[in-house]
C-alpha cells in the first residue's frame, strides 16, 4: 500500500546559512519515509521557486544564487506523493548576509617604548558583519588566543623585556569565512632613548664651572694677602 510521506527536512548543503553577495548555495530537501515517487517544491516567502521530481527518497537539491537582499528571505519545501493530500511541509530556513570585513588597523597609544615597559596594541576592522574574530602575531607567530568582538577593538598588552620584543606586529580579522581573513599592516615600536643632557647644555655648564674656578682663583689674592699683612 502507498505510504504517506514524512515531513521533509530542508538544510543547506554547505552546512551554514551565512552567505556573501553573489554566492551560489544549495538547499537539500527530502522525506525520510513514504512511498516514492516524490515531488519536491521549494518556496521562498510562499512563492514557488522550483519543483523537482524524485523516483526514490534521495534528497532533491535546489541551487540558488544570492544576488540581493530579497534572496535572504524564508525558504520552505513541500513534499508530495500519490498518498499525501496537500503535501507535507519542511522546516523554514533564512540566510544571513555576511558583509566582508575591511582591512584591520593596528594601533597603539605610543610608538616608542623602553625595556621594562608595558605597551598596548589595538586591532579594529571598521566594516564587516559582526562578530569579528581577532588574533595577534609577532612576525608569523601567533602571540594571543582568538578573541571575538562586536564593535570594540581587540587589545593585547605586551611587556617589552628585550630588544627582540621590538619586532613587527600584525593582527588578523575574520568574520565567518576563513578565506576572507584580512591582515593589518605591520606595527613596530622604536626604542625610546633615555633622557640625556644635550651637548650645548653640557658646554654651557662647563663654561660656567670654568668661570667660577677662574673667579675664585682671582679672588683668593684679595682675601689672603690682606689677611697676611694684618697678621704681621
Amino acid at each position: 500500500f502507498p505510504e504517506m510521506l514524512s515531513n521533509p527536512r530542508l538544510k543547506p548543503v554547505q552546512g551554514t546559512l551565512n552567505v556573501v553577495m553573489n554566492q551560489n548555495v544549495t538547499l537539500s530537501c527530502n522525506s525520510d519515509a513514504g512511498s516514492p515517487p516524490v515531488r519536491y517544491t521549494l518556496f521562498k516567502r510562499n512563492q514557488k521557486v522550483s519543483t523537482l521530481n524524485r523516483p526514490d527518497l534521495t534528497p532533491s537539491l535546489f541551487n540558488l544564487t544570492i544576488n540581493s537582499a530579497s534572496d535572504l528571505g524564508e525558504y520552505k519545501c513541500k513534499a508530495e506523493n500519490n498518498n499525501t493530500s496537500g503535501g507535507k511541509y519542511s522546516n523554514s530556513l533564512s540566510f544571513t548576509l555576511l558583509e566582508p570585513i575591511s582591512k584591520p588597523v593596528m594601533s597603539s597609544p605610543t610608538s616608542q617604548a623602553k625595556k621594562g615597559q608595558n605597551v598596548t596594541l589595538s586591532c579594529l576592522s571598521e566594516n564587516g558583519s559582526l562578530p569579528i574574530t581577532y588574533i595577534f602575531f609577532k612576525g608569523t607567530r601567533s602571540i594571543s588566543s582568538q578573541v571575538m568582538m562586536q564593535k570594540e577593538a581587540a587589545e593585547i598588552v605586551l611587556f617589552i623585556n628585550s630588544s627582540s620584543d621590538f619586532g613587527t606586529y600584525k593582527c588578523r580579522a575574520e568574520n565567518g569565512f576563513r578565506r576572507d581573513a584580512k591582515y593589518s599592516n605591520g606595527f613596530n615600536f622604536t626604542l625610546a632613548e633615555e633622557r640625556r643632557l644635550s651637548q650645548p647644555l653640557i658646554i654651557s655648564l662647563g663654561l660656567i664651572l670654568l668661570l667660577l674656578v677662574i673667579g675664585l682663583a682671582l679672588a683668593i689674592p684679595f682675601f689672603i694677602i690682606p689677611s697676611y699683612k694684618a697678621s704681621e
Side-chain angles (χ1 to χ4, degrees):
F1 295 95
E3 183 183 353
M4 184 178 295
L5 289 170
S6 61
N7 286 84
R9 291 181 301 160
L10 183 66
K11 61 182 181 181
V13 172
Q14 294 87 345
T16 177
L17 291 171
N18 295 327
V19 297
V20 295
M21 198 63 71
N22 301 319
Q23 180 179 342
N24 295 322
V25 296
T26 301
L27 293 178
S28 169
C29 182
N30 76 293
S31 292
D32 291 328
S35 299
V38 184
R39 182 171 67 253
Y40 294 100
T41 303
L42 182 69
F43 293 87
K44 181 182 70 177
R45 295 195 184 96
N46 299 321
Q47 294 184 351
K48 184 162 60 174
V49 176
S50 180
T51 298
L52 297 173
N53 295 305
R54 299 296 301 169
D56 48 33
L57 294 180
T58 57
S60 283
L61 301 179
F62 297 94
N63 297 312
L64 307 169
T65 301
I66 306 300
N67 290 317
S68 65
S70 63
D71 296 322
L72 304 175
E74 184 181 79
Y75 289 85
K76 287 185 179 181
C77 74
K78 181 173 73 171
E80 301 171 278
N81 68 359
N82 295 331
N83 197 42
T84 305
S85 176
K88 295 282 188 175
Y89 285 88
S90 73
N91 54 300
S92 62
L93 295 178
S94 296
F95 292 105
T96 299
L97 183 64
L98 282 180
E99 179 188 357
I101 55 176
S102 58
K103 184 175 181 176
V105 175
M106 179 88 86
S107 62
S108 175
T110 179
S111 61
Q112 293 188 330
K114 55 187 177 182
K115 294 179 183 179
Q117 178 182 352
N118 286 325
V119 293
T120 302
L121 282 173
S122 298
C123 183
L124 177 66
S125 287
E126 291 285 352
N127 300 307
S129 298
L130 303 172
I132 298 176
T133 301
Y134 298 94
I135 187 169
F136 291 86
F137 293 85
K138 182 178 181 294
T140 58
R141 179 176 59 88
S142 63
I143 56 172
S144 73
S145 57
Q146 292 187 347
V147 57
M148 188 176 293
M149 307 297 292
Q150 292 295 327
K151 296 181 180 180
E152 304 84 4
E155 291 187 348
I156 185 173
V157 178
L158 305 172
F159 178 67
I160 304 299
N161 189 43
S162 65
S163 56
S164 63
D165 296 324
F166 288 90
T168 300
Y169 293 89
K170 288 185 178 182
C171 65
R172 185 183 72 198
E174 56 189 29
N175 66 346
F177 291 105
R178 288 192 176 273
R179 58 185 172 86
D180 194 41
K182 289 186 172 64
Y183 288 83
S184 69
N185 291 327
F187 187 95
N188 292 78
F189 292 103
T190 57
L191 180 62
E193 295 184 0
E194 299 293 337
R195 290 183 173 269
R196 297 179 179 179
L197 295 176
S198 63
Q199 186 174 0
L201 181 58
I202 293 175
I203 294 174
S204 299
L205 291 175
L207 289 175
I208 293 172
L209 181 60
L210 179 61
L211 290 174
L212 287 174
V213 172
I214 293 173
L216 183 60
L218 293 175
I220 286 176
F222 292 97
F223 291 98
I224 295 179
I225 295 176
S227 299
Y228 176 77
K229 288 183 177 182
S231 61
E232 289 182 349

